[in-house]
Amino acid sequence: MAGKPKLYYFNGRGRMESIRWLLAAAGIEFVEEFLETREQYEKLLQDGALLFQQVPMVEIDGMKMVQTRAILGYIAAKHNLYGKDLKERALIDMYVEGTRDLIDLIRVHHKFSPEEQEKNLALINERATARYFPVYEKVLKDHGTEFLVGNQLTWADVQLIEAILMVEEKVSTVLSKFPLLQDFKTRICNIPTIKKFLQPGSQRKPPPDESYVVTANRLD
């Protein structure tokens, strides 16, 4: 029997958080090794574990996988979160890539000066309410089911709920004009595996703080 996936990253969200989300949604237990020193990172490099000299890295099924998109795609395909055919996968990929663009705006927010953060916050709100969330509101309306693609939970749903909650941390009223997304949020957050991940004490990480920034810069 294969062991639990092992995640190598900082003790924070960054590019690993979507991987944590997807594993959690699939009901897969995982362990983490937090990189806190340059020596830990150098050892991974010396061992040849980081193909492109970058984390995230995930040990899973005898592989040392790098590149976030590849890791997520493997987990989604393995755990039946990637649609039933090529057309569904194409839709999932489109929605995931759109949501990723929004998440990336938030992911780098802590790196900016206070003045830049104010501008970026306005950009996050504008992109969420004028570009991305109207699309997903329409998709839910047109598709007519509880999910973005097909009739069961997929990677697209998981990444969208991650993005919604991240935006709400910055702009609490962001869903006020999107009733279908409000319902979507309630439904998805009540799926047992996701509900568990949202509980205090889970492996979900909080927004970046100063300690996370210092550690990430030390290893950069």
Side-chain angles (χ1 to χ4, degrees):
M1 182 177 176
K4 297 176 183 178
K6 186 172 183 179
L7 283 50
Y8 294 79
Y9 202 67
F10 319 118
N11 187 10
R13 288 182 180 175
R15 296 183 184 276
M16 186 65 89
E17 191 70 357
S18 291
I19 296 168
R20 298 183 185 106
W21 264 95
L22 199 58
L23 286 167
I28 304 304
E29 293 184 358
F30 57 89
V31 296
E32 302 187 79
E33 180 169 320
F34 298 128
L35 303 183
E36 298 174 340
T37 67
R38 185 73 191 179
E39 288 71 28
Q40 286 175 287
Y41 180 69
E42 292 287 353
K43 186 176 188 307
L44 289 175
L45 289 175
Q46 292 165 9
D47 292 345
L50 305 180
L51 191 62
F52 299 110
Q53 302 177 29
Q54 295 171 314
V55 290
M57 190 270 282
V58 175
E59 287 184 346
I60 184 170
D61 296 342
M63 298 182 289
K64 294 181 178 179
M65 293 195 69
V66 295
Q67 298 297 331
T68 308
R69 182 71 168 71
I71 297 166
L72 288 166
Y74 181 81
I75 294 167
K78 179 176 180 179
H79 297 291
N80 198 28
L81 294 168
Y82 211 174
K84 70 178 188 299
D85 55 33
L86 278 174
K87 286 187 177 180
E88 286 197 355
R89 287 193 173 197
L91 289 172
I92 291 167
D93 284 340
M94 287 196 301
Y95 300 154
V96 161
E97 290 300 309
T99 312
R100 171 55 51 192
D101 291 342
L102 180 58
I103 286 175
D104 282 345
L105 282 176
I106 306 168
R107 187 175 56 79
V108 299
H109 185 75
H110 68 279
K111 298 181 179 181
F112 297 139
S113 68
E115 295 80 11
E116 291 171 327
Q117 285 188 354
E118 188 175 341
K119 292 178 181 178
N120 193 56
L121 189 60
L123 180 61
I124 290 168
N125 187 44
E126 187 273 330
R127 289 288 172 83
T129 58
R131 178 178 295 188
Y132 296 109
F133 289 173
V135 169
Y136 298 120
E137 184 83 0
K138 185 176 187 301
V139 168
L140 289 168
K141 181 180 179 181
D142 293 347
H143 189 44
T145 78
E146 297 183 352
F147 307 103
L148 291 174
V149 180
N151 58 4
Q152 65 182 41
L153 185 73
T154 71
W155 175 16
D157 302 305
V158 177
Q159 189 143 295
L160 179 56
I161 195 62
E162 179 190 0
I164 287 172
L165 295 179
M166 287 179 74
V167 177
E168 284 188 329
E169 288 173 345
K170 305 295 184 189
V171 186
S172 61
T173 59
V174 72
L175 289 186
S176 61
K177 296 181 180 178
F178 303 102
L180 296 182
L181 282 177
Q182 292 176 34
D183 292 343
F184 172 86
K185 173 190 166 185
T186 299
R187 284 196 307 273
I188 301 301
C189 286
N190 277 301
I191 291 172
T193 54
I194 292 177
K195 188 173 184 178
K196 181 179 178 181
F197 189 60
L198 293 173
Q199 297 302 309
S202 81
Q203 288 166 292
R204 185 185 181 214
K205 302 299 182 275
D209 58 14
E210 187 62 32
S211 174
Y212 171 81
V213 173
V214 169
T215 300
N217 288 340
R218 185 189 310 135
L219 273 66
D220 203 4

